[in-house]
Amino acid sequence: MAAPELLSDEGYRADGRRPAELRKIRARMGVFAQADGSAYIEQGNTKALAVVYGPHEMRGSRSKALPDRALVNCQYSVATFGTGERRRRPRGDRQTGELALQLQQTFEAAILTQLHPRSQIDIYVQILQADGGNYCAGVNAATLAVMDAGIPMRDYVCACSAGLAEDTPLADLSSPEEAVGGPRLVLALLPASGQIALLQLSARLHQERLEAVLEAAGQACRALHAVLDRVVRERLREVTALLGD
Amino acid sequence: MKATPLSNCERRFLLRAIEERKRLDGRQCYDYRNVRISFGADYGCCIVELGKTRVLAQVSCELVPPKPNRPTEGILFFNLELSPMAAPGFEPGRQSELLVKLNRLIERCLRNSRCIDTESLCVVAGEKVWQIRLDLHLLNHDGNIIDAASIAGIVALCHFRRPDVSVQGEEVTVYAPEERDPVPLSIHHMPICVSFAFFQQGTYLLVDPSEREERVMDGLLVIAMNKHREICTIQSSGGIMLVKDQVLRCSKITAVKVAEITELIQKALENDQKVRKEGGKFGFAESIPNQKITAFKMESAAVNTNNVEEQAEEIITKADPPSEVFAKPILHTPGTAQIGEGIENSWGDLEESEREEAAEEESESEAAAFECQTVETEDTSTMKETKKDEPIVLSDSEEEEVVILEPQELPRKTRTQTNLKQENTSKKAFTKRRRKKRAAY
């Protein structure tokens, strides 16, 4: 079975993008009134929704409360209608469990948890339409939601995926590009300091190419950061206008 | 069962040692522990020991209908189990975070890297394919489960032989091992995981962390690579912030380590192949007399004691002599002596508390008297002799006959002498008491 061309001869990808180009991003904050913070993001055809509750008192077992910092509780689920074939289990299988753990790890490093000891912050991410870069869209939506909730963070957490076509690194893979089976790198970055909160690579990538792909993912994250920053400032302007001068 | 928590001093000790680039077992920062591979009697069964961490791998196969969206590919199933015999903290049946993480890593390392050719597992397209199942069991947890598990997994897959199959038209014949030799799986490459533990926010890096080091680490980076220097998977975990340079440096170290381990694996597989062909004995049972599997051997570490004496003498001559402790008993009333001063009683004027204090002081002085060195004095010798004749009455109750301690007022009763054994008492304190007694009478 011949793999479809990732990059045409003119240097365009299957959906007409350049190798380092991101998909169109649309984001909204403050989508729900009930939750402390919520956000919705669309990256191309991937749609993700994130909702944040907290910081609030520990639910469930009090014994799990950490004496010096807040506990970040994450849940990641993909809607049953989100993929091409109907998914039987939106969450509970190993893959979504692992992604929820990674989400927790990423945000525990980014949120200033020392400011809220013995409390809990809940982050729920729902992928409404999965078209590649699902986890990254989830992380970006969660960042916006945490900002909407007013929870202090070290920096934005921007996540992006990157792949490789022959020798050219590609940024922000879509679902058909992921299905080809080439290497796929997921990077969650704090743009200001350049620190990597999460790094995950699947499928084979030669060691020599690692730096190029990492660099491409890093650039994509920084570009994403600019977009998200604009969204946050827009929202802030909106909110202050509503509240009056 | 809950795992024993790590004490603060142990944690501090480990972190300080790591800062000085020392590890508990004497390894260098980038050194691996000894890897030992042993094979079982069946094909596809092996035990890998990484230091004291032991993982058992078993591969089995079955003919099943294929997945509907992939009719010409075989099915791979990986399962890692943390047995409660590995560590007290593991409980059966409970899906812990660690288990999810390890399972996903093994799956990504072995499945997504396409190390096994699944197309070759197809027997009849759309109807019958081989399902290869790899089961990994952790037998002993001494750190770095993922490395040992990945080595065990790939070795077992390389070692495994599936039954030969022939298809004539619609008929599928599966040959038993006696009829036709079983066929090995077609494996393209061998991905091996290498773990890096980070300490102090990424300042210090250790390869192949042991169990103690894992408890104090900030985060873990796992890189899986094969000997062709292709990275099969990278996974960072634990909430550490990495920098791009660190990741690149780790990937270079991984390349070196993977080359060494792959060589070792090849040698082990060849050895086993040779032994089986020559008709020699093989399997786990053979390693019992060699104390390879069932015994837990402690290797004696050689300690260099060449100039210990000189060093010790140096230290002793430089050190100050210990100060002598002079016991100076303080007299309260005849029959009561106190060695050392307690803090002022801050409970107020309560009769009961004073009684308790008195009892405490008594026991204090007795205990101190027991520990003091005997001092030779001429005066007391005669007095001691007379006292020896009197019977020693030991009273069990500390409470009875306790009098409120008021200096210079009431004479202490003779409770002190009854509880003291003649041989152990301090002659000084003794003398003072004897003298007081005499004075009272």
Side-chain angles (χ1 to χ4, degrees):
Chain A
M1 188 171 72
E5 275 277 333
L6 280 172
L7 208 57
S8 76
D9 298 322
E10 288 90 39
Y12 288 106
R13 288 151 80 168
D15 50 4
R17 284 186 285 154
R18 288 253 162 224
E21 205 181 311
L22 297 173
R23 292 176 286 183
K24 188 170 170 68
I25 300 172
R26 275 172 290 236
R28 276 266 306 278
M29 289 169 67
V31 180
F32 294 128
Q34 281 276 38
D36 290 331
S38 55
Y40 171 76
I41 195 168
E42 274 182 34
Q43 271 181 253
N45 283 330
T46 304
K47 300 181 169 69
L49 189 61
V51 165
V52 169
Y53 286 95
H56 57 76
E57 214 186 322
M58 285 291 295
R59 305 258 170 80
S61 54
R62 292 276 166 81
S63 57
K64 284 207 197 118
L66 300 164
D68 57 341
R69 49 200 164 90
L71 187 75
V72 178
N73 175 37
C74 296
Q75 198 189 77
Y76 177 92
S77 74
V78 180
T80 47
F81 46 81
T83 44
E85 286 171 12
R86 191 181 172 84
R87 275 178 76 99
R88 275 178 297 130
R89 300 177 80 178
R91 58 178 172 277
D93 60 339
R94 273 191 200 151
Q95 199 166 16
T96 41
E98 189 204 17
L99 291 170
L101 277 177
Q102 285 177 359
L103 212 64
Q104 178 185 359
Q105 169 200 325
T106 314
F107 280 95
E108 255 178 17
I111 296 178
L112 295 169
T113 46
Q114 276 86 6
L115 295 175
H116 305 283
R118 305 195 69 88
S119 56
Q120 184 179 329
I121 299 174
D122 295 318
I123 304 179
Y124 301 114
V125 172
Q126 172 90 305
I127 306 292
L128 299 172
Q129 196 169 305
D131 187 40
N134 313 327
Y135 176 73
C136 305
V139 168
N140 296 329
T143 303
L144 289 177
V146 169
M147 290 215 167
D148 192 40
I151 299 174
M153 285 210 290
R154 289 204 170 82
D155 196 357
Y156 286 78
V157 183
C158 302
C160 196
S161 58
L164 198 69
E166 308 287 309
D167 282 331
T168 333
L170 305 171
D172 197 9
L173 302 174
S174 62
S175 176
E177 286 168 344
E178 279 179 5
V180 167
R184 185 166 73 98
L185 181 86
V186 172
L187 183 74
L189 192 72
L190 271 61
S193 49
Q195 286 176 323
I196 300 172
L198 182 87
L199 178 61
Q200 190 180 317
L201 173 70
S202 3
R204 280 181 294 168
L205 174 70
H206 199 271
Q207 194 204 340
E208 316 268 301
R209 308 272 166 77
L210 178 65
E211 189 169 356
V213 178
L214 261 179
E215 188 54 46
Q219 290 284 49
C221 285
R222 280 185 206 102
L224 201 75
H225 163 66
V227 176
L228 293 182
D229 196 41
R230 214 176 38 232
V231 170
V232 171
R233 284 174 203 277
E234 193 53 54
R235 166 80 180 157
L236 198 60
R237 225 170 289 143
E238 224 176 75
V239 166
T240 45
L242 284 173
L243 288 173
D245 285 320
Chain B
M1 211 180 110
K2 214 174 160 183
T4 324
L6 196 66
S7 60
N8 280 342
C9 47
E10 214 174 344
R11 181 183 297 266
R12 266 198 303 268
F13 177 76
L14 278 162
L15 287 172
R16 276 286 297 279
I18 289 164
E19 277 170 34
E20 297 177 14
R21 306 235 175 260
K22 291 200 173 83
R23 294 174 86 162
L24 281 189
D25 44 10
R27 286 187 277 159
Q28 296 295 319
C29 294
Y30 298 158
D31 275 353
Y32 248 79
R33 288 173 284 184
N34 277 335
V35 179
R36 265 192 294 257
I37 304 174
S38 1
F39 294 95
D42 288 332
Y43 280 114
C45 180
C46 78
I47 287 188
V48 168
E49 289 173 59
L50 179 65
K52 293 201 194 124
T53 303
R54 271 187 222 181
V55 178
L56 168 75
Q58 174 75 57
V59 180
S60 50
C61 66
E62 204 188 359
L63 273 175
V64 295
K67 285 202 180 125
N69 52 344
R70 286 181 206 272
T72 54
E73 285 184 20
I75 303 174
L76 294 171
F77 185 68
F78 304 103
N79 186 32
L80 171 76
E81 273 174 31
L82 300 176
S83 159
M85 76 168 104
F90 295 150
E91 284 162 35
R94 202 167 65 96
Q95 265 259 2
S96 67
E97 282 178 17
L98 180 64
L99 192 62
V100 171
K101 201 173 72 153
L102 292 171
N103 267 303
R104 283 293 301 158
L105 258 174
I106 291 281
E107 265 193 45
R108 286 226 308 278
C109 173
L110 294 174
R111 190 203 297 274
N112 292 8
S113 63
R114 307 279 175 86
C115 63
I116 302 174
D117 185 13
T118 44
E119 299 254 348
S120 68
L121 297 173
C122 178
V123 176
V124 178
E127 283 177 31
K128 287 254 179 270
V129 297
W130 284 111
Q131 179 188 38
I132 304 291
R133 191 193 161 104
L134 170 67
D135 284 296
L136 296 157
H137 293 266
L138 181 68
L139 301 176
N140 191 38
H141 177 31
D142 195 32
N144 205 2
I145 302 173
I146 185 62
D147 284 16
S150 76
I151 297 175
I154 198 64
V155 167
L157 286 166
C158 288
H159 192 243
F160 180 63
R161 306 271 182 272
R162 64 167 173 84
D164 198 5
V165 163
S166 73
V167 183
Q168 274 114 10
E170 286 299 318
E171 233 182 67
V172 176
T173 332
V174 180
Y175 294 105
E178 295 85 34
E179 297 170 23
R180 274 209 209 169
D181 274 340
V183 171
L185 299 173
S186 77
I187 298 189
H188 297 306
H189 60 97
M190 296 205 278
I192 313 273
C193 292
V194 175
S195 308
F196 298 87
F198 287 90
F199 301 87
Q200 310 284 44
Q201 277 83 44
T203 333
Y204 303 102
L205 175 67
L206 289 183
V207 174
D208 187 19
S210 67
E211 202 253 332
R212 286 271 173 260
E213 289 161 356
E214 272 186 0
R215 292 228 213 173
V216 298
M217 70 181 175
D218 285 339
L220 190 72
L221 177 70
V222 178
I223 301 184
M225 212 190 258
N226 61 22
K227 73 168 188 226
H228 307 293
R229 292 179 58 213
E230 288 173 331
I231 302 177
C232 302
T233 191
I234 300 183
Q235 176 73 52
S236 77
S237 61
I240 25 142
M241 296 296 191
L242 293 172
V243 186
K244 199 174 76 161
D245 298 323
Q246 284 173 325
V247 177
L248 294 170
R249 191 156 52 101
C250 289
S251 70
K252 293 198 183 87
I253 299 170
T254 313
V256 174
K257 295 295 163 196
V258 165
E260 289 170 12
I261 296 176
T262 311
E263 219 183 280
L264 205 119
I265 293 177
Q266 300 280 32
K267 244 191 287 191
L269 283 167
E270 273 165 26
N271 262 353
D272 183 71
Q273 186 75 339
K274 207 165 55 167
V275 168
R276 280 175 202 258
K277 214 188 293 193
E278 287 166 4
K281 296 192 202 150
F282 51 85
F284 294 139
E286 288 318 304
S287 30
I288 293 175
N290 296 341
Q291 306 218 323
K292 271 194 217 146
I293 293 201
T294 51
F296 205 50
K297 206 164 59 165
M298 281 297 287
E299 280 132 14
S300 50
V303 179
N304 188 357
T305 54
N306 285 341
N307 48 0
V308 166
E309 259 190 60
E310 285 90 18
Q311 275 182 358
E313 274 176 22
E314 248 184 78
I315 294 170
I316 291 171
T317 46
K318 279 190 200 157
D320 296 322
S323 53
E324 279 184 37
V325 177
F326 292 103
K328 288 201 181 109
I330 305 165
L331 297 176
H332 287 280
T333 54
T336 311
Q338 182 184 335
I339 299 179
E341 281 179 1
I343 311 171
E344 185 74 32
N345 177 18
S346 57
W347 278 54
D349 284 348
L350 290 168
E351 222 175 78
E352 287 163 22
S353 65
E354 280 185 33
R355 277 178 189 251
E356 277 174 311
E357 264 232 322
E360 274 169 20
E361 278 183 12
E362 282 286 81
S363 50
E364 239 180 38
S365 62
E366 284 166 20
F370 269 59
E371 287 156 15
C372 282
Q373 308 253 333
T374 48
V375 176
E376 285 282 357
T377 50
E378 294 135 35
D379 304 323
T380 57
S381 50
T382 45
M383 285 191 283
K384 276 208 82 179
E385 278 164 28
T386 51
K387 279 299 155 195
K388 268 183 193 160
D389 300 332
E390 283 186 22
I392 301 167
V393 175
L394 292 166
S395 69
D396 291 319
S397 160
E398 297 261 57
E399 247 57 78
E400 57 181 55
E401 299 176 340
V402 170
V403 188
I404 298 171
L405 202 67
E406 227 96 17
Q408 311 304 320
E409 279 176 12
L410 295 167
R412 293 284 330 177
K413 294 232 173 161
T414 59
R415 213 172 60 79
T416 49
Q417 71 176 353
T418 58
N419 285 343
L420 290 170
K421 298 255 186 289
Q422 300 277 1
E423 318 81 71
N424 294 340
T425 47
S426 146
K427 280 209 173 157
K428 245 192 185 172
F430 212 70
T431 6
K432 298 257 165 102
R433 282 198 209 98
R434 295 290 144 253
R435 283 195 189 127
K436 276 186 279 175
K437 276 231 64 78
R438 292 202 135 201
Y441 296 135

